Amino acid sequence: MRHGKYRFIIGFLAAPLAMYAVFVISPFIQAFQISMTDWSGLTPDMNFIGLENYDKLVHNDLFWQALWHNVIILLVVPVVTLGLGLFFAFMLNVGGRRRKGAAAVTGVRGAGLYKVVYFFPQVLSITIVAVLWQQIYNPDPDDGLLNSLLGAVGLSSLQQSWLGDPNLALICIMVVMVWCSVGFYVVLFSAGMSSIPSDIYEAALLDGATRGATFFRITLPLLWDTVQTGWVYMGIICMDAFAYVQIMSVQNGGPDNATQVVPLLLWKTAFRESSQYGLAAAMGIAMLIVTMVFAVLTLRFSRRERVEF
């Protein structure tokens, strides 16, 4: 019976695992093999050069600058996105006024409409979002929405060349990434909060707990697994950021490489400037390592005792 059970399980797992190995694991192995060659991607010649491409990366200042920008995005965007998502979800689901004859904990009126509004950026493609915000950041006071708005309210002194200023360009792109992602987490965390029994909140309020104490002592611990998963997912998005930078930035990573990120540098290395597929593959492997380290550290240091309800 035991052997029959194992055969039954293996029979179901064999096909999915084989597909995963072919379509996920195999490309990684091939990328590592290419990173050990001088292949240009344009000819069949592929000479083995060992770790030479990785040595070039170590001594490539532009690569380290791009990686640092990815790290900045990785440190800022998930914190802001998940923080806003938790705040808005908590206010929508628990922030309503207590009405006579109603439950102790209620959501705000029109919470469903607010969720739709918050979620709306998720139905737009990244390309549309990037082009839309590129026009919002347009430095022309007549065409750029942001500068036009500042001029209309008498704040012309705050008008900027938003994407053309090396000190502001990366910040502007991170704002767009937060705007585009926060609605998804509002809906995700709202779904998680709706599964928390209202009796727990009512008992806390009867004990005199404030909204802040309720959030940090009840809501956040019970949603921690969801927050942890969202953190890893946002980290993967931040290690990419290719489409935002490629579309919105000045001259693909400018000005003066102020918005350069590793995926964009990889793309230019492979397809635009020098056709160095081997070096580009080495950059991809470096990105894989950084992403895996981030995921492992996040899961390791955010681990806590599971709270049941």
Side-chain angles (χ1 to χ4, degrees):
M1 290 293 294
R2 180 178 300 178
H3 294 297
K5 181 180 70 173
Y6 289 147
R7 283 197 299 269
F8 179 77
I9 295 174
I10 293 173
F12 271 94
L13 290 179
L17 288 177
M19 293 180 63
Y20 186 83
V22 171
F23 294 107
V24 179
I25 303 299
S26 176
F28 285 124
I29 297 175
Q30 293 177 28
F32 180 73
Q33 292 174 338
I34 293 173
S35 72
M36 307 286 282
T37 70
D38 62 354
W39 188 38
S40 66
L42 303 176
T43 65
D45 298 330
M46 185 183 296
N47 300 314
F48 179 79
I49 59 174
L51 299 177
E52 184 176 326
N53 285 323
Y54 294 95
D55 183 66
K56 290 180 180 178
L57 287 186
V58 172
H59 298 91
N60 188 333
D61 293 336
L62 183 57
F63 169 77
W64 288 108
Q65 183 181 6
L67 183 60
W68 174 241
H69 292 158
N70 274 113
V71 171
I72 293 175
I73 297 173
L74 190 62
L75 294 176
V76 175
V77 173
V79 173
V80 177
T81 302
L82 298 180
L84 290 176
L86 283 168
F87 173 76
F88 289 134
F90 184 76
M91 296 305 295
L92 289 176
N93 292 275
V94 188
R97 292 184 178 182
R98 182 176 181 180
R99 295 184 293 273
K100 186 176 181 179
V105 175
T106 59
V108 299
R109 291 182 178 179
L113 176 61
Y114 291 133
K115 292 175 186 177
V116 172
V117 173
Y118 287 138
F119 191 78
F120 177 73
Q122 285 291 311
V123 305
L124 302 176
S125 70
I126 295 178
T127 302
I128 295 176
V129 170
V131 171
L132 173 66
W133 277 89
Q134 186 183 45
Q135 295 305 311
I136 292 175
Y137 286 135
N138 191 322
D140 191 333
D142 297 325
D143 296 330
L145 179 61
L146 184 53
N147 279 344
S148 298
L149 181 62
L150 291 174
V153 298
L155 297 175
S156 301
S157 60
L158 297 180
Q159 293 176 336
Q160 303 285 338
S161 177
W162 301 101
L163 296 175
D165 187 337
N167 297 318
L168 295 175
L170 187 61
I171 297 175
C172 292
I173 292 175
M174 288 193 290
V175 169
V176 177
M177 294 180 68
V178 171
W179 178 84
C180 187
S181 301
V182 69
F184 172 80
Y185 292 99
V186 171
V187 175
L188 178 66
F189 295 146
S190 294
M193 291 178 190
S194 64
S195 67
I196 300 176
S198 59
D199 295 346
I200 299 178
Y201 286 116
E202 293 173 8
L205 294 177
L206 289 174
D207 288 340
T210 63
R211 296 286 186 185
T214 302
F215 174 77
F216 287 105
R217 297 302 182 97
I218 296 177
T219 304
L220 187 58
L222 293 177
L223 285 180
W224 189 251
D225 288 345
T226 305
V227 174
Q228 186 183 58
T229 303
W231 196 284
V232 174
Y233 181 66
M234 278 302 303
I236 295 172
I237 293 176
C238 293
M239 280 304 299
D240 185 2
F242 169 80
Y244 295 102
V245 177
Q246 198 271 338
I247 296 173
M248 295 180 62
S249 65
V250 178
Q251 298 177 342
N252 288 334
D256 194 25
N257 292 314
T259 58
Q260 190 71 259
V261 290
V262 175
L264 183 59
L265 183 61
L266 185 157
W267 173 71
K268 291 195 292 186
T269 302
F271 301 107
R272 290 293 298 274
E273 296 176 353
S274 54
S275 297
Q276 299 182 64
Y277 271 52
L279 183 59
M283 292 181 185
I285 297 298
M287 279 187 58
L288 171 65
I289 295 173
V290 172
T291 304
M292 293 298 294
V293 169
F294 169 78
V296 170
L297 291 178
T298 298
L299 295 176
R300 173 65 180 85
F301 290 105
S302 62
R303 184 183 303 167
R304 59 170 61 185
E305 185 178 351
R306 186 179 180 86
V307 180
E308 302 287 351
F309 59 90

